[in-house]
Amino acid sequence: MTEFGKFLRARRGEVRPADVGLPAGTGTRRTPGLRREELAALAGVSIDYYIRLERGKETHPSPSVVEALADALRLNQEESGFLHELAARAARRAPEPRPRPSRRVRPTVTQLLETLRPNPAYVVSRTNDLLAANPGGLRLLHGIADWPERQRNTVRYTFLHPAARELWADWEQKAKGCVAQLRAIAGTDPDAPDLAALVGELIVKSPDFNRLWERYEVHTIGDGEKTLRHPEVGTMTLSHEGLSLNRAQGQRLIIYMAPPGSPDHDKMTLLDLATSGPSVSSGETAPVSPSRRQG
């Protein structure tokens, strides 16, 4: 079965007949969501063709068929794009492997982390390896600094660090977001070594990760708000933004904020002051080219 077929099967299990205007019918349903024949009818394709799609025996659905399936499954724009990408990958026999993303963090990005203080901020790779952080950013993820630098990953932290479930007030929602973001990467680069290694480890070590991974939810992380129960400064609610860095192979800058003068801002500032020293880098620091040193 292709990833395209696995996605279809997982997502039709999430759609109830009533959600799409179908009667529940009589007797016990063998599937919690839509049956294959129901989804095929909603998408306007034959049941035999749909079964071939789900089992990976048909790998060249037209864009219009993919769009019809997305509509029938009530996918949002991001999820629909993900389904189209999976269909395109299924049609390619030998996808070109992509190079492993760099862990190098540019000196200007490290400087930016310093200028953002007292706002907690850190840089992560596309699979959420923690590459660099200012003091507040490192301390915000309570206990992650106890791990070796190469082990520091915010998704691994969420599922495997004993402090994480207490830190995130809504741990389940945080965990869902982590998995959905990795699923989004898997849609475009499922064979990437960095992704495969992280997912494989978490499937083995965390039943919760395995459960959420099988749901095939897709989401890219952007802005939002998180409530943290931090053992050093107490409970605080912070807004956050995730910004993609230019020329950095998927690296993102994550910044946490609170309104100036608010109790949450005071706690955020205390967190920054609790650790002396400049921003730290877990990855490699990229050299500055001569042209960049000038003006």
Side-chain angles (χ1 to χ4, degrees):
M1 181 181 290
T2 62
E3 287 297 310
F4 180 76
K6 291 178 182 177
F7 184 84
L8 290 176
R9 185 177 64 179
R11 295 314 297 265
R12 71 177 171 84
E14 298 290 326
V15 182
R16 296 173 301 176
D19 295 335
V20 291
L22 294 175
T26 59
T28 302
R29 297 178 66 90
R30 295 171 58 188
T31 176
L34 294 177
R35 297 185 176 106
R36 290 190 180 98
E37 59 269 25
E38 291 170 334
L39 180 53
L42 289 168
V45 299
S46 72
I47 178 60
D48 289 340
Y49 181 73
Y50 176 77
I51 290 174
R52 292 201 304 274
L53 283 174
E54 191 171 289
R55 291 179 176 174
K57 297 182 183 300
E58 169 57 59
T59 58
H60 291 79
S62 68
S64 61
V65 167
V66 177
E67 193 62 35
L69 289 167
D71 289 342
L73 290 169
R74 301 166 64 89
L75 303 183
N76 61 32
Q77 183 175 1
E78 186 173 29
E79 293 165 338
S80 178
F82 180 77
L83 185 63
H84 278 277
E85 178 64 30
L86 290 181
R89 288 193 60 84
R92 296 195 290 267
R93 294 185 178 179
E96 287 292 327
R98 300 189 185 188
R100 182 183 291 271
S102 174
R103 296 176 58 88
R104 295 158 67 90
V105 178
R106 297 197 304 273
T108 50
V109 175
T110 303
Q111 293 169 21
L112 178 58
L113 288 171
E114 277 296 297
T115 64
L116 289 169
R117 296 176 67 179
N119 297 85
Y122 48 80
V123 176
V124 293
S125 70
R126 66 174 187 168
T127 54
N128 292 281
D129 288 336
L130 186 65
L131 302 181
N134 63 21
L138 187 63
R139 207 170 186 91
L140 185 72
L141 303 176
H142 180 68
I144 198 171
D146 298 334
W147 281 354
E149 290 185 351
R150 281 278 175 173
Q151 190 179 351
R152 296 174 191 172
N153 176 287
T154 60
V155 181
R156 181 183 288 115
Y157 173 84
T158 299
F159 284 95
L160 300 184
H161 200 289
R165 289 178 187 261
E166 180 61 29
L167 177 68
W168 304 112
D170 191 345
W171 181 88
E172 181 75 12
Q173 189 62 33
K174 170 65 176 176
K176 286 180 180 178
C178 288
V179 176
Q181 187 251 337
L182 291 184
R183 267 294 180 197
I185 299 172
T188 57
D189 201 5
D191 301 320
D194 55 335
L195 176 67
L198 177 63
V199 170
E201 175 192 357
L202 292 176
I203 284 176
V204 170
K205 295 181 179 179
S206 172
D208 283 316
F209 180 88
N210 193 25
R211 167 177 58 87
L212 294 172
W213 185 251
E214 291 303 317
R215 293 178 62 170
Y216 277 78
E217 293 183 352
V218 181
H219 181 61
T220 53
I221 298 175
D223 61 341
E225 193 174 80
K226 290 285 187 296
T227 298
L228 302 94
R229 298 177 297 218
H230 203 281
E232 296 180 50
V233 298
T235 300
M236 54 184 171
T237 299
L238 304 179
S239 301
H240 66 84
E241 290 279 351
L243 309 175
S244 297
L245 297 175
N246 292 330
R247 301 180 291 107
Q249 294 183 295
Q251 291 179 14
R252 289 173 292 119
L253 173 65
I254 312 298
I255 311 164
Y256 286 84
M257 298 159 285
S262 67
D264 289 330
H265 190 276
D266 292 342
K267 293 176 182 179
M268 190 179 72
T269 303
L270 284 174
L271 198 64
D272 177 73
L273 295 175
T275 307
S276 59
S279 299
V280 296
S281 175
S282 298
E284 304 172 16
T285 301
V288 182
S289 65
S291 61
R292 291 286 177 183
R293 294 193 185 101
Q294 299 172 1

